Amino acid sequence: MHPRRPDGFDGLGYRGSARDERGFGVAFPARSFSSGPELGHWVTTPPDIPGSRNLHWGEKSPPYGVPAPSTPEGPAEEPLPGGSSGGGGSGVPAGPSTEQLSRFAGFGIGLASLFTENVLAHPCIVLRRQCQVNYHARHYHLTPFTVINIMYSFNKTQGPRALWKGMGSTFIVQGVTLGAEGIISEFTPLPREVSHKWNPKQIGEHLLLKSLTYIVAMPFYSASLIETVQSEIIRDNTGILECVKEGIGRVIGLGVPHSKRLLPLLSLIFPTVLHGVLHYIISSIIQKIVLLILKRKTYGHPADSTSPVQSMLDAYFPELIANFAASLCSDVILYPLETVLHRLHIQGTRTIIDNTDLGYEVLPINTQYEGMRDCINTIKQEEGMLGFYKGFGAVIIQYTLHAAVLQITKIIYSTLLQNSV
C-alpha cells in the first residue's frame, strides 16, 4: 500500500488516521502544502467557534502566497471576521483588561452584598429575634441607639460569640430551602420561574411551589431560630449539623425534650407559609418596580450612558439596589407578622434567652399562646401595638450597614474603572 500522504507535504508531525478524515485533523499552515487542487480534502478545519477565525460554510482557503492572519502572541485582540479590529490603530486594545476588571469587580460587589446580608448583619438578626420573643421586656429597642448599647453589653459580658450564634444554621436553612425547591420543581409540574407571559394559573402554581418549600424547611427554621436566641451562658457547644438533627427530631417527635405548651407543626404551617409567601410577593413586586424606575432613569440620561464607567455601573448596581429595597420593604411591612411567627415557633421549646433590658442575666420563655389569633390578641392587650415592633432598631442598623457597604463598593468600583480606562 502507498502511504496516504500528499506529495507536497513536508511531513512535520503528520500521522495519517481515520480521525483526520472525519474532520478532526489539524489545519496546518498554507506553506506546508503544494498549490495543487487535489489536496483540498487534506485540509480540515475544526467546527466554527464564535470569535475564532475558522472558515464559514461556503468560504475557501486563501490561495498560496497570500499571508493569512497570524495568531497574536500577546494579549492583542483577534481581528473580526469583517477585517476590522476592536482595538483601534494601536493593535493593543484596552478593552480586554477593562472587561476582565468589570467582571471581577461585579463578582466582588455581589460577594460583598451577600456577605453583608448573611454574615455582617447576623448580630442584628440575633438581637432582633431575641427582642421579638421576649414578651415581658420593658425596653422595646425601637431605635438603633438602644440596640447598639445592648449589643455592647452582650459582647462585654459573654464575648463576641453571643452576637454570632446560630449563623451556620441560617445557611443550612437557606440550603434546605433551595434544595427542596429544586427537588419539588423537578418531580412536579410546578414552575420554578415565572415567564414574562404569565397567567393566573402559572402564578398560582409558582406560589404553591413556594408554599411547599416553606413547609419542608419549617422544622429546620424552628431549630435555627432556637440557636439564634438561646443564651450563650447556658448554651452547649453544638455542632454545625445540630440544626438538621433537631429539625428532623421535631418532625418525628424525638430529640430535645419539650414542654406541653409546644405547638404542633400543623398549627405552624399557616403562619409560616403566610409569612413566607407574603414576603416573596412583596419583595418581588418592589424589586420589579425599582428596576423599572432605574432603567427609565438610565434611558432618560443618554449622555451618561456614553461613559464606560457609568455603563459598567448601570450593568451591576440596579439589581443590587432593587434587591436591597425589596428586602427592606418586605421586612418592615411584615415585621409584626414575623414577631408573631417567632413567638409561636419558640413556645414550648424550653429556650432561655438573654435579658434584653439589662444586657446580662437570662430569662425563660413560658408563653401559652393557643394559636396565631390568640398570640396577636395577647400582644395587643399586654404590650400594645408597639409590642409587635420590639427590636425594630436592629432592622435600621442592619439595612443602614448594608447600604453603607453598597456605597463603599460602588466608590471602589468606580475608582478602579476610572483608573483602567
Side-chain angles (χ1 to χ4, degrees), residues 342-359:
H342 287 170
R343 292 198 182 188
L344 294 177
H345 273 275
I346 211 71
Q347 176 173 303
T349 57
R350 296 186 178 180
T351 302
I352 299 178
I353 66 172
D354 296 310
N355 191 335
T356 57
D357 290 336
L358 304 177

Side-chain angles (χ1 to χ4, degrees), residues 127-398:
L127 188 61
R128 157 186 173 180
R129 292 181 174 181
Q130 282 190 327
C131 294
Q132 286 177 323
V133 299
N134 191 356
Y135 60 96
H136 45 60
R138 293 173 299 176
H139 300 287
Y140 289 6
H141 299 293
L142 302 176
T143 62
F145 306 104
T146 58
V147 171
I148 294 176
N149 187 25
I150 203 68
M151 280 184 176
Y152 175 77
S153 300
F154 285 157
N155 182 75
K156 184 178 180 180
T157 56
Q158 304 179 31
R161 292 184 58 183
L163 299 176
W164 300 92
K165 54 192 175 185
M167 186 175 64
S169 63
T170 57
F171 287 105
I172 292 178
V173 173
Q174 293 180 6
V176 171
T177 303
L178 294 176
E181 182 178 352
I183 293 175
I184 295 175
S185 63
E186 188 72 22
F187 291 96
T188 61
L190 303 178
R192 193 172 185 179
E193 299 290 341
V194 179
S195 61
H196 295 287
K197 299 180 180 180
W198 57 270
N199 52 64
K201 180 182 178 181
Q202 189 179 18
I203 293 294
E205 292 177 347
H206 181 65
L207 294 180
L208 178 59
L209 173 64
K210 293 293 183 181
S211 302
L212 295 176
T213 302
Y214 297 140
I215 294 175
V216 173
M218 181 177 60
F220 306 99
Y221 182 81
S222 298
S224 175
L225 176 63
I226 295 173
E227 287 191 18
T228 53
V229 301
Q230 183 91 320
S231 177
E232 193 70 19
I233 297 177
I234 52 95
R235 178 186 175 90
D236 298 330
N237 292 326
T238 57
I240 191 174
L241 297 179
E242 191 69 20
C243 174
V244 179
K245 178 182 176 181
E246 293 191 6
I248 297 176
R250 182 76 179 267
V251 175
I252 62 179
L254 298 177
V256 179
H258 302 121
S259 66
K260 296 181 180 180
R261 298 185 303 272
L262 180 69
L263 294 175
L265 290 178
L266 293 177
S267 302
L268 300 175
I269 289 179
F270 177 73
T272 303
V273 172
L274 179 63
H275 177 268
V277 171
L278 288 179
H279 194 282
Y280 175 74
I281 293 175
I282 294 174
S283 60
S284 299
I285 294 175
I286 297 298
Q287 183 180 9
K288 296 296 183 182
I289 294 175
V290 173
L291 280 177
L292 182 61
I293 294 175
L294 292 177
K295 287 182 179 180
R296 287 186 177 181
K297 183 178 179 181
T298 302
Y299 294 152
H301 297 79
D304 297 337
S305 60
T306 58
S307 173
V309 176
Q310 186 64 31
S311 62
M312 292 298 179
L313 294 179
D314 294 338
Y316 292 105
F317 274 94
E319 186 175 355
L320 293 177
I321 296 175
N323 292 335
F324 168 80
S327 181
L328 173 61
C329 293
S330 56
D331 280 353
V332 171
I333 295 174
L334 298 177
Y335 196 88
L337 181 59
E338 185 184 71
T339 300
V340 175
L341 177 66
H342 287 170
R343 292 198 182 188
L344 294 177
H345 273 275
I346 211 71
Q347 176 173 303
T349 57
R350 296 186 178 180
T351 302
I352 299 178
I353 66 172
D354 296 310
N355 191 335
T356 57
D357 290 336
L358 304 177
Y360 55 91
E361 297 181 352
V362 293
L363 297 170
I365 300 296
N366 295 319
T367 55
Q368 297 182 356
Y369 305 121
E370 297 179 359
M372 181 178 177
R373 180 179 299 180
D374 181 52
C375 182
I376 295 175
N377 294 331
T378 304
I379 294 176
K380 187 186 302 183
Q381 294 174 3
E382 298 182 358
E383 305 171 51
M385 293 302 298
L386 293 180
F388 294 99
Y389 292 92
K390 284 185 175 180
F392 189 78
V395 177
I396 300 176
I397 296 177
Q398 175 182 346

Side-chain angles (χ1 to χ4, degrees), residues 12-25:
L12 295 177
Y14 177 78
R15 296 294 183 269
S17 63
R19 186 169 183 255
D20 295 329
E21 296 178 3
R22 290 195 304 267
F24 293 91

